[in-house]
């Protein structure tokens, strides 16, 4: 089963409009999930994945409960660098947790949780699958991007100045976007060894 997640209900509205054989369930007493079929593929839809804290826990739980084999995170993000424009599609290539600071631990970098890699990678074949789907079904411009994910809504560059050195954000100098749940999805998928990708529309520049 493929799981499609969003931080708000608007993020998954298109998928709700095309899903067939639909049924709904409530998990953990408060989260509605929609299960059905899209293009002959079993899918699960869920929204309200707000913050990396919630998205990591809920991603991990749903993967185990529904035997998910791929997680696609959809919605909106904010561009930091000018080489990706509003309304273009940002496909995650690399993801880092922008508000994690455990550097007092040995051999731990800024943005890294001890025991995990600093950067979470989306697999090339998954990115290729998404890119092919866009080429067949839309004229939207898409770009492989570096996601910096925090649980804080970012409104201006002063909020990220501690992440920037010599004009680079965690060493990234191109195709940099910010969001607030991809890091949690990546962490949950890493624990379950399930691939993930974020596919988000750039809402605006930071």
């Amino acid at each position: 089963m493929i799981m499609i997640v969003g931080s708000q209900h608007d993020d998954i509205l298109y998928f709700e409009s095309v899903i067939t054989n639909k049924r709904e369930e409530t998990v953990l007493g408060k989260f509605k999930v929609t299960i059905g079929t899209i293009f002959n593929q079993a899918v699960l839809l869920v929204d309200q994945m707000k913050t990396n804290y919630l998205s990591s826990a809920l991603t991990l739980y749903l993967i185990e409960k529904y035997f998910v084999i791929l997680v696609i995170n959809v919605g909106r993000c904010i561009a930091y660098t000018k080489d990706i424009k509003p309304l273009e599609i940002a496909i995650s290539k690399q993801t880092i947790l922008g508000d994690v600071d455990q550097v007092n631990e040995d051999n731990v970098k800024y943005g890294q949780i001890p025991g995990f890699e600093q950067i979470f990678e989306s697999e090339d074949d998954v990115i290729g699958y998404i890119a092919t789907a866009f080429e067949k079904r839309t004229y939207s411009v898409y770009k492989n991007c570096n996601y910096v994910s925090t649980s804080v809504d970012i409104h201006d560059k002063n909020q990220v100045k501690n992440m920037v050195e010599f004009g680079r954000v965690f060493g990234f100098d191109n195709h940099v976007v910010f969001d607030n749940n991809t890091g949690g999805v990546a962490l949950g998928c890493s624990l379950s060894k399930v691939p993930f990708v974020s596919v988000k529309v750039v809402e605006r520049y930071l």
Side-chain angles (χ1 to χ4, degrees), residues 11 32 50 60 70 74 78 87 112 127 157-158 186 199:
D11 297 338
K32 185 186 81 172
K50 297 179 184 295
L60 184 61
L70 170 64
V74 298
I78 299 170
L87 301 183
Q112 180 180 11
I127 294 173
K157 288 192 175 182
N158 287 328
V199 184

Side-chain angles (χ1 to χ4, degrees), residues 28 75 142 168 200:
L28 300 174
Y142 63 87
R168 298 185 174 197
K200 298 197 173 189

